[in-house]
Amino acid sequence: AQSVTQLDSQVPVFEEAPVELRCNYSSSVSVYLFWYVQYPNQGLQLLLKYLSGSTLVKGINGFEAEFNKSQTSFHLRKPSVHISDTAEYFCAVRGDSWGKLQFGAGTQVVVTP
Amino acid sequence: DAGVTQSPTHLIKTRGQQVTLRCSPKSGHDTVSWYQQALGQGPQFIFQYYEEEERQRGNFPDRFSGHQFPNYSSELNVNALLLGDSALYLCASRAGGSHEQYFGPGTRLTVT
């Protein structure tokens, strides 16, 4: 079975400052890892994914994440945030061949001027 | 190319009623999954359909059932609605061999 823990429920950040959202997972098998963003009253949009290969993954909108197998982490970063990055961010793990995603509880990012 | 579409957008039902939610997958996608997202929580996997059969199921009671049609569209049915069924219901689709799931905008169900 897999589980995902997002260590921060809310992260306030000033515009143009960096942000890091923390995600830890547990799994007994090889995993695929994902970060999704959810804007108010919308569905989920894929930011980036780790399937294999390079542990540093680059995604859309300037986001990147680093897979750390020894620490079972997949933290999301952005060097300079914009007001438009205000949203809920979800870390998810897929540990089986069928495609079921296990999501964390989410991290609300609030960007202020 | 239309993405994943869901209908209706919003729905209000009374406790004990039944509801049907609909999903059309992204073009070229044959696998559809449904998720329930309660307020302030992450999405929870309900079930997945492929080739018109339920292939995988999460920890949801039998009141939750589904169907996939030959054109890959899908329905989620919930019987005997409870107040706790109030949530955003998300549909996601993917092509069979792909790791990426594309989500629809969701259906907001309110049970009163």
Side-chain angles (χ1 to χ4, degrees), chain B residues 6-66:
Chain B
Q6 293 185 241
S7 62
T9 306
H10 296 88
L11 204 53
I12 300 175
K13 289 287 188 178
T14 303
R15 191 171 44 186
Q17 286 188 317
Q18 178 263 344
V19 69
T20 297
L21 311 181
R22 295 176 176 82
C23 171
S24 291
K26 186 176 170 62
S27 177
H29 289 189
D30 56 8
T31 303
V32 174
S33 299
W34 286 91
Y35 292 81
Q36 179 195 65
Q37 186 180 16
L39 199 61
Q41 297 183 24
Q44 298 292 319
F45 175 78
I46 303 175
F47 42 53
Q48 182 183 90
Y49 276 84
Y50 173 71
E51 292 189 340
E52 303 180 49
E53 292 197 359
E54 182 183 294
R55 188 164 66 174
Q56 196 178 22
R57 189 178 183 92
N59 189 24
F60 280 80
D62 292 344
R63 298 187 297 108
F64 289 77
S65 63

Side-chain angles (χ1 to χ4, degrees), chain B residues 76-94:
Chain B
L76 164 64
N77 301 291
V78 186
N79 294 322
L81 285 166
L82 304 174
L83 296 179
D85 295 331
S86 295
L88 180 68
Y89 288 85
L90 296 164
C91 172
S93 73
R94 68 183 180 96

Side-chain angles (χ1 to χ4, degrees), chain A residues 32 34 36 38 42-44 46 49 51 90 94 96-105, chain B residues 35 37 40-45 48 55-56 88 90 94 98-101 103-105 108:
Chain A
Y32 304 118
F34 306 82
Y36 284 85
Q38 185 175 37
Q42 294 187 27
L44 302 175
L46 180 66
K49 61 184 182 290
L51 305 179
F90 292 96
R94 173 187 161 186
D96 60 40
S97 60
W98 299 114
K100 166 188 171 182
L101 291 175
Q102 182 75 38
F103 285 88
Chain B
Y35 292 81
Q37 186 180 16
Q41 297 183 24
Q44 298 292 319
F45 175 78
Q48 182 183 90
R55 188 164 66 174
Q56 196 178 22
L88 180 68
L90 296 164
R94 68 183 180 96
S98 170
H99 296 290
E100 289 192 34
Q101 293 195 38
F103 283 80
R108 173 72 63 186

Side-chain angles (χ1 to χ4, degrees), chain A:
Chain A
Q2 299 85 39
S3 67
V4 178
T5 302
Q6 292 186 241
L7 297 162
D8 306 291
S9 59
Q10 188 170 57
V11 174
V13 58
F14 289 109
E15 191 175 17
E16 297 183 7
V19 70
E20 178 180 81
L21 308 184
R22 297 179 293 167
C23 173
N24 286 96
Y25 69 92
S26 66
S27 176
S28 57
V29 298
S30 297
V31 296
Y32 304 118
L33 294 158
F34 306 82
W35 275 99
Y36 284 85
V37 61
Q38 185 175 37
Y39 299 103
N41 301 314
Q42 294 187 27
L44 302 175
Q45 181 182 7
L46 180 66
L47 279 177
L48 49 78
K49 61 184 182 290
Y50 172 79
L51 305 179
S52 65
S54 173
T55 57
L56 183 62
V57 179
K58 294 190 182 296
I60 62 172
N61 301 341
F63 284 94
E64 64 180 31
E66 185 155 17
F67 170 62
N68 188 318
K69 187 174 182 179
S70 62
Q71 296 187 7
T72 60
S73 67
F74 189 54
H75 300 335
L76 180 71
R77 302 184 183 95
K78 185 170 182 178
S80 176
V81 296
H82 303 291
I83 296 291
S84 59
D85 292 321
T86 295
E88 187 96 27
Y89 292 80
F90 292 96
C91 181
V93 61
R94 173 187 161 186
D96 60 40
S97 60
W98 299 114
K100 166 188 171 182
L101 291 175
Q102 182 75 38
F103 285 88
T107 297
Q108 178 69 43
V109 172
V110 180
V111 182
T112 54

